[in-house]
């Protein structure tokens, strides 16, 4: 470092000017470094925010897909329940029809039997 000459004011001014320039450059460099750090921090924050938004969108999409799948499962269950009820109704109607047919056949056989007996009784009476 240079020694400031008390006797020589011109040299003193030059030295002071150089020291101020150096100090100015140092402060400028520090300011640039601080600006760089600030810019990097802002960039990091933006990236984190964008990532968080992306995750939220993906989670919302997954939730929608799960809800849709649940709706589809519920729809399938309702359709299956309707199909079971329809088959039960058809089975009930078939059972009722069969019972009615059996009853009609029995009544017809019984009527036929009674007519034969009456016929035989008439023949015996004659």
């Amino acid at each position: 470092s240079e020694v400031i000459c008390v006797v020589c004011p011109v040299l003193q001014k030059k030295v002071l000017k150089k020291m101020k320039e150096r100090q100015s450059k140092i402060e400028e460099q520090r300011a640039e470094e601080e600006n760089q750090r600030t810019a990097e921090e802002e960039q990091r924050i933006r990236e984190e925010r964008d990532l968080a938004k992306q995750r939220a969108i993906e989670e919302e999409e997954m939730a929608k897909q799960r809800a849709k799948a649940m709706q589809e499962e519920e729809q399938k269950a309702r359709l299956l329940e309707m199909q079971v009820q329809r088959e039960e109704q058809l089975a009930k109607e078939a059972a009722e029809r069969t019972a009615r047919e059996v009853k009609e056949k029995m009544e017809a056989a019984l009527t036929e039997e009674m007519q034969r007996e009456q016929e035989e009784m008439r023949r015996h009476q004659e």
Side-chain angles (χ1 to χ4, degrees):
S1 70
E2 299 178 33
V3 178
I4 298 174
C5 177
V6 180
V7 183
C8 185
V10 173
L11 184 60
Q12 190 177 14
K13 281 183 184 178
K14 281 183 180 178
V15 170
L16 279 173
K17 187 178 179 187
K18 272 191 175 183
M19 285 176 66
K20 284 181 183 177
E21 284 175 2
R22 275 192 209 139
Q23 188 63 33
S24 229
K25 281 183 182 179
I26 290 171
E27 287 174 6
E28 198 175 297
Q29 189 175 353
R30 282 187 188 144
E32 284 178 17
E33 289 171 357
E34 185 61 32
N35 286 344
Q36 181 67 27
R37 279 194 296 275
T38 302
E40 289 170 358
E41 181 66 16
E42 288 172 351
Q43 179 64 26
R44 187 185 62 75
I45 289 170
R46 273 194 300 278
E47 288 171 358
E48 285 179 2
R49 188 174 52 235
D50 291 348
L51 249 168
K53 281 182 185 176
Q54 186 60 36
R55 273 196 304 268
I57 289 170
E58 289 170 0
E59 287 174 9
E60 184 179 343
E61 189 59 36
M62 285 172 56
K64 284 179 184 176
Q65 288 175 357
R66 283 193 300 269
K68 184 179 178 185
M70 283 178 59
Q71 281 181 332
E72 289 172 356
E73 286 299 314
E74 289 172 0
Q75 181 68 19
K76 284 180 190 174
R78 280 194 297 274
L79 288 173
L80 198 57
E81 179 65 25
M82 288 169 58
Q83 186 177 352
V84 167
Q85 288 176 353
R86 180 70 184 137
E87 288 174 3
E88 287 175 348
Q89 181 65 29
L90 290 173
K92 181 180 175 188
E93 291 171 3
E96 289 172 353
R97 190 170 44 254
T98 303
R100 203 171 36 252
E101 289 170 358
V102 167
K103 183 180 176 189
E104 288 170 0
K105 285 179 183 176
M106 286 177 65
E107 287 175 351
L110 193 59
T111 304
E112 195 177 301
E113 176 97 18
M114 286 174 64
Q115 286 174 349
R116 269 194 302 242
E117 285 178 7
Q118 286 176 356
E119 187 98 13
E120 280 182 35
M121 286 174 74
R122 260 190 247 135
R123 275 192 225 139
H124 281 294
Q125 287 174 356
E126 288 175 6

